[in-house]
Amino acid sequence: MAELPPRESITLHGMRIDRVTMEGTLECVASYIASGRPHHIVTADASMVMTYREDKEFAAIVDQAALITSDGAGVLWACKRLNLPVPPKVSGVDLSAMLVELSGKKGWRVFFFGGAPGVAEAAAQKMRERFPDANICGFRDGYYKPDEENTVAEQIAATKPDILLVAMGIPRQEKFILRQKERVGAKVYIGVGGTLDVFSGTVKRAPVWMQRSGLEWFYRIASNPNAARLKKLAALPRFALLTLTKK
Ligand code: UDP
């Protein structure tokens, strides 16, 4: 399959976001896997837009991404407010679940990487119960010493993944992807934040009414207010202010 042409995109506070649906994203995944080359998919939420503005190394990685989807109510709200065409929502959790669901039928090998010890394993077990033909080729936690990173990447490479879900939070996961994508040898890399915590049941998803009204981020912070989440929370008023004061 040939690689797909570039998509229509918008620029939100300097960061590109592609106007791509879930269906379009899955077509891209299929073409990336067929190409045999590494591709990075980014799912962008409001806190990521702020990190993009403040961390040059992170911004350079995002600029190189094959695809940037819109993940979250904050981005959709800002687009509406700024009269930008609103991109469809393709969240990291929904995309990851879809890829696992399709993995058996498509023959895609998916690796779960990240989260506290035991979380990736529990996530794999839960997803195999949900999708019995899921093709999960391996899992490991996201806690190791910096000098162990190459070894960790080699261990992942040995399982021959097509898709690597990296659940270590922004920007750690994106920087891992940049450094290790050639060594790991997968074709699709996605930084998926707390997705394995959700899959494993360690963190519950917000009630559907909260997901629909764009309040899932609030539920997740309120149900587990650790330092990383609070930092993320602090980025949101800055994102809102930036949006409201944009000329
Ligand atoms: N994490 C990890 N390794 C680390 C630090 C964090 O695997 O060195 C995991 C952590 O256990 C959690 C995830 O990264 O599962 C971060 O989730 P969060 O929802 O905060 O991510 P973000 O919103 O930044 O994408």
Side-chain angles (χ1 to χ4, degrees):
M1 199 189 300
E3 287 222 28
L4 299 164
R7 319 203 143 241
E8 197 188 321
S9 54
I10 55 154
T11 303
L12 177 63
H13 300 318
M15 181 173 145
R16 179 187 119 224
I17 297 179
D18 298 317
R19 296 190 65 220
V20 61
T21 59
M22 177 64 82
E23 202 188 352
T25 303
L26 296 172
E27 278 173 28
C28 289
V29 167
S31 82
Y32 299 159
I33 292 177
S35 80
R37 295 288 312 140
H39 292 74
H40 186 179
I41 299 179
V42 169
T43 65
D45 64 10
S47 82
M48 182 184 280
V49 174
M50 297 315 285
T51 307
Y52 179 93
R53 293 171 64 83
E54 288 153 10
D55 179 337
K56 285 209 166 57
E57 186 192 349
F58 177 76
I61 298 171
V62 171
D63 286 342
Q64 297 298 313
L67 197 65
I68 307 175
T69 71
S70 152
D71 177 344
V75 167
L76 304 188
W77 167 78
C79 289
K80 271 190 212 144
R81 173 93 206 171
L82 298 171
N83 286 323
L84 294 166
V86 178
K89 183 177 167 194
V90 180
S91 75
V93 180
D94 292 342
L95 176 59
S96 302
M98 195 61 100
L99 293 173
V100 173
E101 182 176 354
L102 290 172
S103 62
K105 194 166 102 202
K106 302 274 190 187
W108 296 340
R109 297 169 67 80
V110 183
F111 193 104
F112 287 0
F113 176 42
V119 167
E121 181 172 7
Q125 195 186 332
K126 286 270 166 60
M127 292 307 266
R128 283 174 180 141
E129 284 164 17
R130 213 166 126 195
F131 307 112
D133 70 342
N135 195 3
I136 300 167
C137 63
F139 48 78
R140 82 145 281 156
D141 65 78
Y143 291 83
Y144 51 87
K145 297 195 195 85
D147 65 358
E148 293 167 347
E149 186 180 276
N150 289 353
T151 311
V152 168
E154 277 158 17
Q155 287 164 352
I156 298 171
T159 70
K160 303 209 172 310
D162 295 304
I163 300 171
L164 182 65
L165 303 182
V166 190
M168 297 198 290
I170 301 163
R172 185 183 280 109
Q173 57 200 16
E174 285 75 20
K175 292 182 182 179
F176 174 90
I177 291 170
L178 175 74
R179 287 192 297 268
Q180 299 295 346
K181 62 184 176 190
E182 297 294 339
R183 184 172 277 115
V184 170
K187 289 79 163 189
V188 176
Y189 294 84
I190 316 176
V192 294
T195 291
L196 299 182
D197 293 317
V198 174
F199 285 177
S200 67
T202 314
V203 170
K204 293 265 173 297
R205 261 199 108 164
V208 173
W209 73 266
M210 279 187 116
Q211 291 181 34
R212 292 218 177 105
S213 39
L215 290 172
E216 183 158 24
W217 60 272
F218 176 75
Y219 178 88
R220 287 182 56 196
I221 291 167
S223 55
N224 181 12
N226 60 29
R229 293 254 159 76
L230 291 173
K231 194 170 160 227
K232 223 175 135 151
L233 181 64
L236 296 176
R238 286 187 288 120
F239 176 82
L241 198 64
L242 189 67
T243 305
L244 293 169
T245 56
K246 182 134 177 29
K247 296 267 163 20

